[in-house]
Amino acid sequence: MAGTTSSGTTGRTGTGRVKAAAALMGAWVALLWLLEGVDLLTGHALDTYGVSPREVAELRDLVPAAFLHFGFGHVAANTVPLLVFGFLAALGGVRRFLAVAALIVVVDGLGVWLVSPAYSVTAGASGLIFGLFGYLLVRGFVDRKPADIVVGLLIGAVWGGTILLGITPTQSGVSWQGHLFGLLAGVAAAFVFRRRPRGAAALTP
């Protein structure tokens, strides 16, 4: 009886996490498209919330910049990887995912603010995407979970080449700085929010 009850609870929990992760990322991506629509209707007024480097007042734009894009093509390019990486990361728990995403967005934004070229403006979800890639790539090894290790290896095999290209300063108009700092922040997040052994103090929300 106890075994049956435990299995049923685990199944319901797993299904709930899948639904929560899917709903969260669906809403997240929908918000990005909505904001780009508002930007278009207002004559690109939202573009001013991108990050301009080394201006103190621009620090308030670190978070908004991660939700804004320069055109629908920009949003479209980020939609699929954000949905995939975000969904896989959120399966580990929505609160944990939100904490990981917040760390990535802030650290990535600070990196862009510090080292991007003068007079540039950076916006977009690609820093978060690169961060989630880094997080998923190492999370399984940090948490010592075989299933997550397999997930990390799979996304590394599928997306690794694109990620490496994205952190090299070869593409005009692409913020390799944002990609690089996002990737590093994601790897750091896997350690900061690692799963600890049961009974130990944890940083996981």
Side-chain angles (χ1 to χ4, degrees):
M1 181 68 69
T4 302
T5 301
S6 175
S7 176
T9 301
T10 301
R12 288 194 297 272
T13 301
T15 301
R17 288 201 170 194
V18 169
K19 290 180 178 179
L24 173 63
M25 295 317 302
W28 195 302
V29 169
L31 175 61
L32 302 187
W33 283 88
L34 176 62
L35 288 172
E36 188 54 37
V38 172
D39 186 49
L40 178 63
L41 292 174
T42 58
H44 302 289
L46 298 185
D47 289 350
T48 60
Y49 292 95
V51 177
S52 296
R54 295 171 295 283
E55 295 181 19
V56 175
E58 291 292 307
L59 291 172
R60 64 190 176 192
D61 293 334
L62 297 187
V63 174
F67 293 85
L68 303 173
H69 293 79
F70 300 124
F72 285 108
H74 191 191
V75 184
N78 284 336
T79 292
V80 172
L82 182 58
L83 280 173
V84 174
F85 297 165
F87 174 75
L88 291 173
L91 286 176
V94 169
R95 287 192 299 174
R96 187 187 192 194
F97 169 80
L98 292 175
V100 167
L103 187 150
I104 293 170
V105 167
V106 172
V107 172
D108 179 56
L110 284 171
V112 167
W113 184 83
L114 284 169
V115 305
S116 286
Y119 309 112
S120 63
V121 180
T122 302
S126 57
L128 175 59
I129 290 168
F130 276 67
L132 291 175
F133 174 87
Y135 172 73
L136 291 169
L137 193 65
V138 304
R139 178 184 64 177
F141 296 98
V142 174
D143 292 346
R144 299 181 181 179
K145 294 183 65 174
D148 288 344
I149 291 174
V150 172
V151 169
L153 292 175
L154 285 174
I155 68 163
V158 174
W159 299 89
T162 302
I163 295 298
L164 287 175
L165 181 63
I167 61 175
T168 56
T170 57
Q171 296 176 286
S172 177
V174 175
S175 176
W176 64 268
Q177 298 93 340
H179 296 170
L180 177 60
F181 278 100
L183 181 63
L184 295 175
V187 172
F191 288 91
V192 173
F193 299 109
R194 65 188 178 275
R195 300 286 189 191
R196 294 182 181 273
R198 185 172 297 177
L203 291 176
T204 306

